[in-house]
Amino acid sequence: MESTETRRWHRRGLLIALGAAVTAIALALGMGATAYAATLFSDDFEDGNATGWTASGGSWTVATDGSRVYRQSGTSSDARSIAGTTSWSNYSVQATVKPTAFNGSNRFVALLARVQSNTSYYYLALRSNNTVELKRLTGGSSTTLDTASVSVSVGTTYTLRLDVNGSNLQGYVNGTLLAEGTDSQYATGRIGVATFNASANFDNVLVSSGGVDPTPTNPTPTNPTPTPTTPTPTPPTNPGPNVADGWASVNAWGQNGTTGGAGGPTVTVTSASQFITEAASAGPKIIQVNGMIALPGPMHEVSSDKTIVGVGANSGFTGGGLNIGLPIDNAVTAPPANAVHNVILRNLNFRDWADDAVNVQMFSHHVWVDHNTWTTGVDGGVDVKRGSSYVTISYNHADGTDKNMLLGHDDDNAAQDVGRLKVSYHHNFFDNTNQRNPRIRFGDQVHVYSNYYLNTGNYGVAATEDSGVIVEGNYFEGVDDPYHLGEASSGDGRLVARNNCFVNSGAGQTGGSVTDPPYAYTIGTACDTKATVLAQAGVGKVGVPGGPTNPPTTPPATTPPPTTPPATTPPPTSGPQTGLIGWATQNGGTTGGAGGQTVTVTDGQALADALESSSPLTIRVQGSLSLPDTMNDVRSNKTVLGVGTNATLDNGLNVSSATNVIIRNLTFRGWDDDAINVQGSRNVWIDHNTFDGGYDGAVDVKRESDFVTVSWNRVTNHTKSMLLGHDDGHTADVGHLRVTYHHNWFDGSRERHPRVRFGDPVHVFNNYYFGADYGVASTMGAGVLVEGNYFENVTRPTAVGYAESDPGDLVERNNVFVNSGAPESAGDVAAVPYPYTADAANSVKSVVTAGAGAGRINP
């Protein structure tokens, strides 16, 4: 080992200035069993951006070197950029690499595999001393597994390839095996590129499953070449990247697969008049939508053989929607020769539409609606009806839509719909949508798989009017009614459910049998679906179809499983720690109402009265209670304890000038001020609660409060999570605000996890952060120890200083960063005085998601 590498690599305080939509990109794949190699990821940077990559150190840009390349131009330190997903196991990663400068002797450029973090991975390094080395980096210290001689020159392009299969590792230079070894330290992980005191251009990155030889250079996805039409559907091969899968891939009705505008000209539109003209024009065409276009509304026609694709992450339509289909004619009961067909809609935002965002009607067929985002409008997000068929709706983000996806016009439309409405819905994010995800009439072999349902208000999937629906491999979270038969006045359909994952959700209703669809597909582990979908679904995750793009791809094909439902995939399980640790153990400890009476309350006024009692009490809260005030005072020596899994409060608790208070196992929903406010109080333990969307803070601690532990809570559907310290002018907080935050799940909350003023030392350990703008901020001279946390899709995991507040000290150690920016740190932080045992950071995600929130303990 060499001294220049065995030191811990310094992570410079570089903020990767990515928006939340970009940092959410992981290109994660729920990998199932595969019979052959498939492309997991490719990027040749011809789209002009590095979407999907997370850089740390150095100076990374997409530049021109003949073609577009990913350039690292700094030579003063180490630098790396990472892409892909942590679940990748056996694969081959390849890239072309051109060193452009070495700052000293024995410097290198490298290709990374099975990346755990910025300081732990395998790598294949081309060194300036004319060697290639296969190495393992663990916590910043390297171990050489093999080495060989090779000529290394500045300005020369090399093809590096690193294969990882089980414990076997092989490194290739220009197609020749030069380094190999065995090591079992890392079983899965992402890919990356790196330099050490060197600059370089990286290009043509390709990841293939199974360790099968990748294509040598310039892997560009292509659309399939049409083959002679067959009169009945036939199972195609796995379509691969940038090609429609599911029902849209099946050859039928005179159309082979769905290729959109492939083969036609490419035009770019920036105005409504341009778009309306091009979308309705005859012949194949790729229409690039640049920017948000205000359509005059309500619906605008799209003709056959069109690809309509948004440029970047901020293009699409407001005010109006797209109609794919002929005018309505109830007398037409079979597919007409002029039915609209072969249409692709990708990477588009839809907002405030006046009718539907997308309507597919009148026997339209071979339509692919993929990687779009829609918010709210007058009617449906994507409706498919009146005999339309061979449609795939994939990787979309439906954000808060009420009537989301209708399949089938009405109960009286059997003449057009029976035997048709064959649609695949997969890898969509139904994000607080209310209903119709989808609602199905008549369609048979409707396939709903690998979607993520979050807090669906009314129901998920409804099978009605003798439709046949397969619901498999989905992740239902906070969904009381995942799927059922019949809906409103519509009769029952048939529904088969298998291998779904349920988290805080009800049981679905099934009945009847359904034949499997004829195409090949893969179902990953259902309880991994959430992470996969969150990383991939929605706008901004793909480039322009027909060009060099890098869309997330459906895994390789496997034989569809039998219709007999196997055992349901259980959600992750892990026994949560339930004992008090942290700052609330100090200053005499925190026991709440121990030693006093125990009372049970079932209405809000009774709870408010008990909270204000001067005596020690254990107050058991049963059911959903409406509190009398926006903030309800809690006096000293109280334990407030939810009974079971459904104890819910609609407003907040104010722990003011109190001592010795415990609040556990409650759900706070829709509060009008704070859910819990702690001010001027000592020895408070807030544990195993769920905070599900409200006006202001979830848990705010301020005004000289001290000796507080906030543990095993979940914050979801909320923005401002946990404030510590009132404001920059409240210097009376100096010497107070000693708080421990551990094993909390910050589930899509945007900020304040916590935002710290003055408190020192504050201890933040073993929390799971997902999808935040920032994680922990240390300001106004605070001292914050951040250790053993798991940051996923967090733009700024740790921040020194925030907004107008001056910086504090922050020490970060042993954290895991997945698709996140670089952490910031500064200064020193005093040791905490209490004993604790931190979980390994790489286990925190599974431990916390299994144990955090209300309903996970039985006190």
Side-chain angles (χ1 to χ4, degrees):
M1 294 188 292
E2 305 160 58
S3 60
T4 53
E5 293 176 75
T6 54
R7 64 177 173 82
R8 180 168 298 278
W9 286 22
H10 295 293
R11 284 175 289 224
R12 311 293 180 183
L14 173 66
L15 171 64
I16 307 302
L18 303 175
V22 176
T23 57
I25 298 168
L27 301 180
L29 298 175
M31 294 184 62
T34 61
Y36 50 86
T39 299
L40 302 180
F41 175 87
S42 66
D43 201 345
D44 61 7
F45 307 103
E46 291 302 317
D47 54 6
N49 64 62
T51 296
W53 293 86
T54 300
S56 175
S59 178
W60 295 87
T61 58
V62 175
T64 300
D65 184 15
S67 64
R68 299 280 182 94
V69 297
Y70 196 23
R71 175 171 295 165
Q72 199 294 104
S73 56
T75 61
S76 60
S77 65
D78 54 76
R80 70 202 58 79
S81 190
I82 297 166
T85 177
T86 57
S87 65
W88 286 347
S89 176
N90 298 326
Y91 59 84
S92 174
V93 54
Q94 175 178 289
T96 55
V97 183
K98 182 167 79 172
T100 55
F102 291 113
N103 182 12
S105 61
N106 212 13
R107 309 310 195 190
F108 67 76
V109 296
L111 187 63
L112 318 182
R114 290 185 180 168
V115 178
Q116 312 297 299
S117 68
N118 285 334
T119 58
S120 298
Y121 45 76
Y122 296 119
Y123 63 111
L124 185 67
L126 276 182
R127 289 189 168 279
S128 58
N129 65 349
N130 295 315
T131 59
V132 59
E133 290 183 337
L134 178 61
K135 310 191 72 135
R136 183 190 74 227
L137 194 69
T138 306
S141 298
S142 68
T143 300
T144 300
L145 304 176
D146 198 11
T147 185
S149 297
V150 65
S151 177
V152 179
S153 303
V154 169
T156 300
T157 299
Y158 302 86
T159 298
L160 298 186
R161 179 178 124 207
L162 180 53
D163 290 357
V164 287
N165 290 285
S167 61
N168 297 316
L169 294 86
Q170 295 179 314
Y172 296 76
V173 180
N174 296 334
T176 301
L177 176 63
L178 292 180
E180 56 186 329
T182 58
D183 190 272
S184 58
Q185 182 78 22
Y186 309 129
T188 62
R190 297 172 290 161
I191 59 96
V193 293
T195 63
F196 179 68
N197 291 95
S199 60
N201 294 339
F202 298 90
D203 202 359
N204 301 320
V205 181
L206 178 65
V207 184
S208 300
S209 67
V212 175
D213 290 356
T215 305
T217 57
N218 206 20
T220 302
T222 59
N223 289 308
T225 302
T227 55
T229 302
T230 55
T232 57
T234 59
T237 59
N238 185 65
N242 208 33
V243 181
D245 56 5
W247 276 114
S249 70
V250 173
N251 300 340
W253 292 9
Q255 174 68 34
N256 293 346
T258 302
T259 58
T266 297
V267 297
T268 300
V269 297
T270 58
S271 69
S273 59
Q274 282 180 296
F275 171 75
I276 292 168
T277 299
E278 298 291 356
S281 65
K285 190 170 291 184
I286 297 173
I287 304 170
Q288 298 183 168
V289 177
N290 192 353
M292 291 299 296
I293 295 177
L295 294 175
M299 303 298 293
H300 301 276
E301 303 303 320
V302 178
S303 64
S304 297
D305 305 311
K306 297 294 183 295
T307 294
I308 303 173
V309 58
V311 176
N314 299 300
S315 297
F317 305 105
T318 63
L322 306 184
N323 183 63
I324 302 170
L326 300 172
I328 294 170
D329 187 344
N330 291 329
V332 178
T333 58
N338 64 336
V340 177
H341 61 279
N342 194 29
V343 174
I344 296 174
L345 307 179
R346 300 188 85 194
N347 203 45
L348 297 163
N349 290 285
F350 293 88
R351 301 172 187 160
D352 301 319
W353 53 90
D355 190 343
D356 293 330
V358 177
N359 179 58
V360 182
Q361 69 176 20
M362 286 305 297
F363 303 93
S364 293
H365 59 97
H366 292 88
V367 177
W368 185 25
V369 180
D370 176 76
H371 278 97
N372 304 289
T373 295
W374 52 87
T375 52
T376 55
V378 171
D379 204 357
V382 177
D383 287 359
V384 181
K385 54 196 179 186
R386 296 186 179 274
S388 296
S389 209
Y390 304 101
V391 177
T392 295
I393 299 172
S394 58
Y395 291 103
N396 301 287
H397 180 187
D399 185 3
T401 318
D402 179 15
K403 294 179 287 185
N404 193 34
M405 296 182 183
L406 182 68
L407 181 55
H409 176 58
D410 62 26
D411 294 353
D412 297 324
N413 208 53
Q416 291 182 327
D417 288 341
V418 170
R420 304 180 180 104
L421 301 183
K422 297 183 183 297
V423 182
S424 302
Y425 300 85
H426 73 84
H427 292 92
N428 298 288
F429 180 14
F430 300 121
D431 182 3
N432 287 267
T433 56
N434 188 42
Q435 57 182 313
R436 303 186 182 180
N437 307 286
R439 184 198 200 279
I440 303 143
R441 296 179 175 96
F442 303 113
D444 200 356
Q445 295 172 288
V446 176
H447 196 189
V448 182
Y449 72 95
S450 296
N451 301 283
Y452 172 39
Y453 293 79
L454 175 64
N455 297 328
T456 302
N458 192 340
Y459 66 86
V461 182
T464 79
E465 296 299 320
D466 199 36
S467 60
V469 187
I470 299 171
V471 179
E472 62 177 330
N474 301 283
Y475 191 113
F476 294 95
E477 182 174 6
V479 182
D480 291 338
D481 183 1
Y483 41 82
H484 62 238
L485 306 177
E487 173 62 23
S489 59
S490 301
D492 288 356
R494 293 165 286 116
L495 191 149
V496 171
R498 57 196 182 207
N499 294 334
N500 296 288
C501 184
F502 302 90
V503 177
N504 297 324
S505 295
Q509 180 187 17
T510 62
S513 61
V514 184
T515 304
D516 283 302
Y519 50 80
Y521 65 98
T522 293
I523 296 292
T525 302
C527 287
D528 292 341
T529 296
K530 173 179 177 178
T532 301
V533 170
L534 287 175
Q536 297 181 42
V539 75
K541 310 297 178 68
V542 291
V544 179
T549 61
N550 308 294
T553 60
T554 300
T558 60
T559 303
T563 55
T564 302
T568 299
T569 305
T573 58
S574 177
Q577 304 171 21
T578 57
L580 173 60
I581 59 176
W583 274 113
T585 65
Q586 304 298 291
N587 192 43
T590 303
T591 58
Q597 292 184 328
T598 297
V599 298
T600 298
V601 297
T602 57
D603 69 79
Q605 187 60 58
L607 172 58
D609 292 343
L611 292 173
E612 294 200 57
S613 169
S614 60
S615 302
L617 284 179
T618 295
I619 307 167
R620 295 173 61 83
V621 177
Q622 186 169 320
S624 182
L625 278 59
S626 181
L627 287 167
D629 300 313
T630 298
M631 298 301 296
N632 299 267
D633 290 336
V634 181
R635 298 187 68 176
S636 299
N637 305 312
K638 298 293 183 294
T639 294
V640 189
L641 189 63
V643 177
T645 61
N646 299 309
T648 304
L649 303 182
D650 66 348
N651 258 316
L653 302 182
N654 184 43
V655 184
S656 181
S657 300
T659 60
N660 194 28
V661 172
I662 297 174
I663 301 171
R664 303 184 79 196
N665 204 42
L666 294 167
T667 294
F668 295 82
R669 182 174 291 128
W671 59 91
D672 290 329
D673 191 340
D674 294 330
I676 298 177
N677 177 59
V678 180
Q679 62 181 25
S681 296
R682 304 284 189 276
N683 294 93
V684 179
W685 183 24
I686 299 168
D687 177 75
H688 276 98
N689 303 289
T690 294
F691 302 93
D692 184 7
Y695 174 70
D696 202 359
V699 178
D700 286 0
V701 181
K702 54 195 179 185
R703 295 185 181 277
E704 303 108 83
S705 292
D706 224 342
F707 307 110
V708 178
T709 293
V710 181
S711 58
W712 292 102
N713 301 285
R714 181 182 181 189
V715 182
T716 186
N717 300 321
H718 193 61
T719 297
K720 295 180 286 187
S721 183
M722 296 182 181
L723 181 69
L724 180 54
H726 177 61
D727 61 27
D728 292 353
H730 197 75
T731 56
D733 281 336
V734 174
H736 303 292
L737 302 183
R738 286 168 286 191
V739 182
T740 301
Y741 300 85
H742 74 87
H743 292 91
N744 298 289
W745 181 5
F746 300 113
D747 184 10
S749 54
R750 307 310 304 176
E751 57 185 55
R752 303 185 183 180
H753 317 93
R755 184 197 200 280
V756 184
R757 296 178 173 98
F758 302 114
D760 186 12
V762 175
H763 193 191
V764 182
F765 76 95
N766 284 165
N767 301 284
Y768 172 42
Y769 296 80
F770 180 82
D773 292 337
Y774 75 86
V776 183
S778 178
T779 76
M780 302 306 297
V784 188
L785 173 59
V786 181
E787 65 172 332
N789 301 282
Y790 194 112
F791 295 91
E792 183 174 6
N793 298 338
V794 179
T795 305
R796 192 179 181 187
T798 59
V800 176
Y802 184 74
E804 74 285 353
S805 300
D806 293 335
D809 291 337
L810 189 149
V811 171
E812 70 89 11
R813 65 191 184 204
N814 302 327
N815 297 289
V816 167
F817 304 95
V818 177
N819 302 314
S820 296
E824 300 175 22
S825 60
D828 299 309
V829 178
V832 295
Y834 48 80
Y836 68 98
T837 300
D839 293 319
N842 59 8
S843 71
V844 164
K845 176 178 178 179
S846 60
V847 170
V848 170
T849 56
R856 302 300 181 91
I857 56 175
N858 186 24

